[in-house]
Amino acid sequence: MSKHPKAADMSGLYPAAIRESFVKLDPRLLWRNPVMFVTAVVAAMTTVLGLRDLVAGTPGAGTALHISVWLWLCVVFANFAEALAEGRGRARADTLRATKSETRVRVLPTPDTDPATAAETLSTALRPGQFVYVATGEIIPTDGEAVRGVAAVNESAITGESAPVIREAGGDRSGVTGGTTIVSDWLVIRITAEPGKSFLDRMIALVEGAERQKTPNEIALNILLVGLTLIFLFVVVTLPAFASYSGTAIPVVVLGALFVTLIPTTIGGLLSAIGIAGMDRLVKANVIAKSGRAVEAAGDVDTLLLDKTGTITFGNRMADALIPAPGVDLRSLAEAAALASLADETPEGKSIVEKAREILGMVPAMPEGAEPVAFTAQTRLSGLDLANGRALRKGAIDAVIRLTGQTPPVELSAQVDVIARSGGTPLLVAEGNVILGVVHLKDIVKPAVRERFAELRAMGIRTVMITGDNPLTAAAIAAEAGVDDFLAEATPEMKLDLIRREQAGGRLVAMCGDGSNDAPALAQADVGVAMNAGTPAAKEAANLIDLDSDPTKLIEVVMVGKQLLISRGALTTFSIANDVAKYFAILPAIFVAAYPGLGVLNVMGLASPTSAILAAVTFNALILVALVPLALRGVQYRPASAAALLRRNLTIYGLGGLIVPFVGIKAIDMALVALNLA
């Protein structure tokens, strides 16, 4: 079964991105990226000056126009990176938009109204608070909450998962999403979304980037880039005075080329694409972010709160062993446990029957005239009353002791303690007032969970397991799973208090949840991941929504967030290191005639001042387009400490950013000389 969204149609992506690259040359659009705006202004200036010199027949016009072409290409390549990232998002949005359709729906005045008397209206006319009846084969018109009925719903249009999921009134699986289809039974749904503001509508807007706002880190980096640009502007403006003092003149075109190559054009051109690509990677993981801020916060998370059930463990306790009391035959215990569980439709009850089958080789048939005794919160027992007067029961230790008036033998009590300490759940089995033995129910820890938590620990992230189990059981499961800490017998208030304590200590907290009782904690957490199957309250409170409703997805979200931050940091390091190398290419070329001693700085041995300037400008444009795939794909992230990541960043992208320009500019210089272009 697929667990990924329907593949988006990427045909025509590159031609569209190329067209959009030129559309984005509009100054009103360029202004959003100050570095590229400044580059475009310089390109326009050098173009005008080059054309003027060409008309006037001034020597050097060809060089000026050559520089202009590469400056314009630098801006176009930056626009291309952004357009390509946006185009991928729009393609996915178009795929989602195809799932939307206007349908006729049956509106009920009250949830209990007979559907046969319902009035029909268009789905686009629905308003929050209205009730609609949706039956087998019909599309759920918009977001809402099931208030009556239970149904199997195909959510493949949203999640990509082909297997139907159960949605029912009440509980934490009452939320339904517009565009999904009921495949069996029916639901009465209370509409919760305004027209045009459904989950699908917001998902489309977010995926295609229409609602993408710059994150705090992006804004801070933009401010840094603007500051560096201003610094280099002052530097370049002062150079003519030094040149004049030495009796030389620097052409304005050369000053413009120097200015553009010194400012951090690489990261300036790729910054937006990196952010958009980060959101796209989340979409590929079937997670929708309401804001880029949440994605970045995920990358800085210090504490991860995870529910035990369904996240760390499978959630269904299974019968692991049957332990008879002294003097009781194992087969007799197995038969009694199976009979007491025949009418128990819970996963626990079914697992007891299956365990008895392993021991007996068969499952006892339901005796004629037997009456099931259902489990209640008051009795904490279930079982079977046979027609011959036998009364078989299984249940919690204290409940069975209270029913029988007997305490388990010492040997059996010791086994009960061992089961509890190991994280299991002991159930006593009794016939009448005789205790026959104990059933060991075990909550199975998911495979490879321990390794995942070890990876998080290597990242410096503390994991906390949240469970309603008693502290003894919680401690055993926490030890088996390898989490750093646990919160036992947890209530919504305790979750909220834990998050606040962690935040008061200066730590960023992430958690996931699906119920209305999780909403306060999801809203309080720095990163709140709601399950798509959860309640509308949980989805509104969270800033990320997992379409697969998989609580372990929180770990993937953290990985994507870290990759986004690392990618931005790596390319920023590369860009700034790049500028240092270009400094050695152009400055000696400008002043070597006036100050021959500066020739020692021409470490690359460039052929001439003209070829040096042209090579630097050409490299500046080419390196930008060469890094587009890396910006879209992201820098590979491996779990490691902050110090190790910093060393890796400085080694690969810092040192690499210094070496690559020397090699690249020299190669371009040689090519220019060989082609007689400089």
Side-chain angles (χ1 to χ4, degrees), residues 15-329:
I18 292 171
R19 287 194 302 272
E20 193 69 17
S21 301
F22 291 94
V23 173
K24 288 178 176 289
L25 292 175
D26 185 339
R28 293 169 297 180
L29 300 176
L30 274 178
W31 178 251
R32 296 179 301 178
N33 189 333
V35 174
M36 286 298 108
F37 178 77
V38 169
T39 303
V41 170
V42 175
M45 180 191 69
T46 56
T47 302
V48 171
L49 293 175
L51 291 173
R52 183 202 65 183
D53 292 344
L54 184 65
V55 172
T58 305
T63 300
L65 291 174
H66 196 163
I67 289 172
S68 301
V69 169
W70 284 107
L71 291 180
W72 280 118
L73 284 175
C74 185
V75 180
V76 170
F77 290 156
N79 289 345
F80 175 78
E82 184 178 42
L84 193 60
E86 290 175 345
R88 287 163 50 171
R90 278 195 293 269
R92 299 186 196 282
D94 291 339
T95 303
L96 291 169
R97 196 175 282 111
T99 66
K100 294 184 65 179
S101 61
E102 187 179 63
T103 58
R104 298 195 68 82
V105 293
R106 286 167 282 184
V107 180
L108 306 177
T110 67
D112 300 318
T113 304
D114 184 356
T117 63
E120 287 195 359
T121 187
L122 290 174
S123 57
T124 52
L126 294 173
R127 295 293 184 271
Q130 289 185 293
F131 300 95
V132 297
Y133 176 85
V134 188
T136 302
E138 297 177 350
I139 296 174
I140 295 174
T142 187
D143 298 354
E145 186 170 14
V147 294
R148 277 189 64 206
V150 57
V153 180
N154 184 342
E155 297 184 342
S156 60
I158 307 296
T159 68
E161 173 58 71
S162 57
V165 294
I166 301 299
R167 296 288 176 260
E168 58 186 335
D172 295 338
R173 293 190 172 267
S174 60
V176 293
T177 306
T180 57
T181 306
I182 291 183
V183 294
S184 71
D185 302 297
W186 56 270
L187 290 173
V188 174
I189 299 165
R190 178 174 59 83
I191 303 301
T192 58
E194 295 279 355
K197 295 183 179 179
S198 69
F199 176 73
L200 192 58
D201 291 314
R202 287 186 296 172
M203 184 175 170
I204 290 169
L206 288 163
V207 170
E208 67 184 357
E211 293 187 9
R212 197 188 87 87
Q213 297 178 337
K214 287 184 177 179
T215 65
N217 281 345
E218 273 187 276
I219 294 171
L221 188 52
N222 257 319
I223 293 171
L224 173 64
L225 297 181
V226 170
L228 289 173
T229 301
L230 289 173
I231 290 171
F232 285 118
L233 178 62
F234 291 136
V235 169
V236 171
V237 167
T238 61
L239 287 179
F242 288 102
S244 178
Y245 179 77
S246 63
T248 60
I250 304 175
V252 175
V253 172
V254 173
L255 289 173
L258 174 65
F259 176 57
V260 170
T261 54
L262 288 183
I263 63 176
T265 50
T266 305
I267 185 61
L270 297 176
L271 187 57
S272 180
I274 294 169
I276 296 170
M279 299 284 280
D280 188 59
R281 281 193 291 277
L282 267 189
V283 173
K284 288 180 180 177
N286 255 8
V287 177
I288 298 298
K290 294 183 179 180
S291 71
R293 183 192 297 264
V295 186
E296 286 192 350
D300 287 329
V301 159
D302 302 293
T303 304
L304 204 58
L305 306 185
L306 297 159
D307 279 331
K308 182 204 73 174
T309 306
T311 305
I312 295 172
T313 66
F314 284 106
N316 295 330
R317 295 174 300 172
M318 311 295 287
D320 187 63
L322 300 180
I323 304 168
V328 177
D329 181 62

Side-chain angles (χ1 to χ4, degrees), residues 359-536:
I359 297 170
L360 301 172
M362 48 80 70
V363 176
M366 177 68 76
E368 190 175 343
E371 293 184 8
V373 177
F375 175 88
T376 67
Q378 289 75 32
T379 63
R380 300 167 68 201
L381 292 165
S382 64
L384 200 67
D385 288 336
L386 278 63
N388 61 8
R390 292 179 67 192
L392 301 168
R393 297 288 187 274
K394 72 173 193 303
I397 305 299
D398 56 339
V400 173
I401 290 173
R402 187 168 54 250
L403 174 72
T404 62
Q406 305 290 325
T407 58
V410 175
E411 297 90 337
L412 198 63
S413 293
Q415 291 293 330
V416 168
D417 291 339
V418 169
I419 293 169
R421 284 196 298 271
S422 70
T425 301
L427 295 180
L428 286 181
V429 179
E431 181 175 348
N433 61 356
V434 179
I435 296 175
L436 300 177
V438 64
V439 178
H440 180 184
L441 293 180
K442 188 176 181 181
D443 203 354
I444 308 298
V445 174
K446 291 182 176 180
V449 161
R450 191 176 186 90
E451 288 75 13
R452 297 295 298 273
F453 289 144
E455 289 179 8
L456 290 169
R457 196 173 297 108
M459 300 179 208
I461 298 173
R462 177 171 168 264
T463 52
V464 181
M465 182 186 76
I466 299 174
T467 178
D469 291 336
N470 63 72
L472 194 63
T473 301
I477 294 175
E480 185 179 354
V483 296
D484 298 309
D485 201 356
F486 64 89
L487 179 67
E489 299 176 341
T491 63
E493 293 77 16
M494 292 170 67
K495 293 181 187 179
L496 194 59
D497 289 342
L498 176 60
I499 293 172
R500 286 171 174 167
R501 286 199 306 272
E502 291 289 322
Q503 291 172 331
R507 291 177 285 275
L508 293 183
V509 181
M511 77 159 288
C512 61
D514 57 2
S516 298
N517 61 350
D518 291 324
L522 288 170
Q524 181 67 38
D526 301 284
V527 180
V529 183
M531 305 296 101
N532 189 44
T535 61

